[in-house]
Amino acid sequence: MIITVASGKGGTGKTTVAVNLALTLENILSVQILDCDVEEPNAHLFLNPEFRYSDIVTLPVPAVDQGKCVGCGKCSEICAFNAIIVLGNKVVIFSELCHGCGGCSRFCPEEAIYENPKEIGVIEGGLAGKIAFIQGRLKIGNPLAPPVINAVKKRAKLPKLT
């Protein structure tokens, strides 16, 4: 069974409800709690887990080999987030706007664009009593929470839904 506590104004008690459900069920069932409020996770304050691992979450962002680039603009055309533009024959990348889709590198006819991992957050996990605990924490100033949330979910041992 998966129980999700989500969607409410800040301060309404979502974390309190989730933590209390986990604590109530920990001696009856195998329980996991995933704190996906990656901008400000705080379930750890109530559960005080013993963290056993910490994994960095990265996003692939483009870089340009200016020696190979001919300034064709294909990279700029493909970018739906305006994270890459061509000024004259020079490519300018706004890595804070990049969503890591990889389209610019895939469609560059000169293979002048490659990707470097950019750290955007971390996931941490461990145990709080019998409760398996995983949380994500977005790096301050990073606007992209979904990749960190997805990393938390991927690390969880969730049953397959049929």
Side-chain angles (χ1 to χ4, degrees):
M1 177 186 321
I2 298 172
I3 300 173
T4 303
V5 180
S7 297
K9 183 184 170 301
T12 58
K14 297 178 298 293
T15 299
T16 303
V17 168
V19 166
N20 280 302
L21 275 170
L23 289 169
T24 300
L25 297 172
E26 81 173 306
N27 290 319
I28 302 168
L29 302 168
S30 174
V31 176
Q32 292 185 81
I33 188 162
L34 311 179
D35 193 343
C36 291
D37 182 3
V38 299
E39 282 127 355
E40 192 61 46
N42 58 19
H44 69 282
L45 298 173
F46 298 99
L47 293 171
N48 195 27
E50 176 189 322
F51 288 110
R52 295 187 174 178
Y53 65 85
S54 177
D55 296 330
I56 293 172
V57 179
T58 62
L59 188 72
V61 295
V64 180
D65 180 341
Q66 296 291 352
K68 288 182 177 180
C69 180
V70 296
C72 70
K74 296 264 190 225
C75 54
S76 181
E77 291 172 19
I78 194 70
C79 185
F81 303 101
N82 300 312
I84 189 165
I85 62 170
V86 179
L87 298 173
N89 284 339
K90 184 168 170 86
V91 175
V92 179
I93 297 169
F94 301 99
S95 63
E96 63 278 357
L97 297 177
C98 181
H99 282 60
C101 72
C104 56
S105 62
R106 280 188 214 104
F107 288 98
C108 178
E110 305 301 320
E111 298 181 355
I113 298 179
Y114 55 96
E115 296 173 336
N116 288 322
K118 175 184 173 187
E119 183 178 334
I120 62 166
V122 65
I123 58 170
E124 302 165 313
L127 288 174
K130 295 179 183 176
I131 300 170
F133 182 85
I134 304 171
Q135 72 177 8
R137 188 178 306 274
L138 188 64
K139 192 172 180 182
I140 293 173
N142 193 297
L144 293 175
V148 180
I149 294 168
N150 290 336
V152 170
K153 291 177 181 179
K154 190 179 279 187
R155 186 67 191 238
K157 297 173 186 88
L158 296 175
K160 293 196 181 211
L161 300 175
T162 56

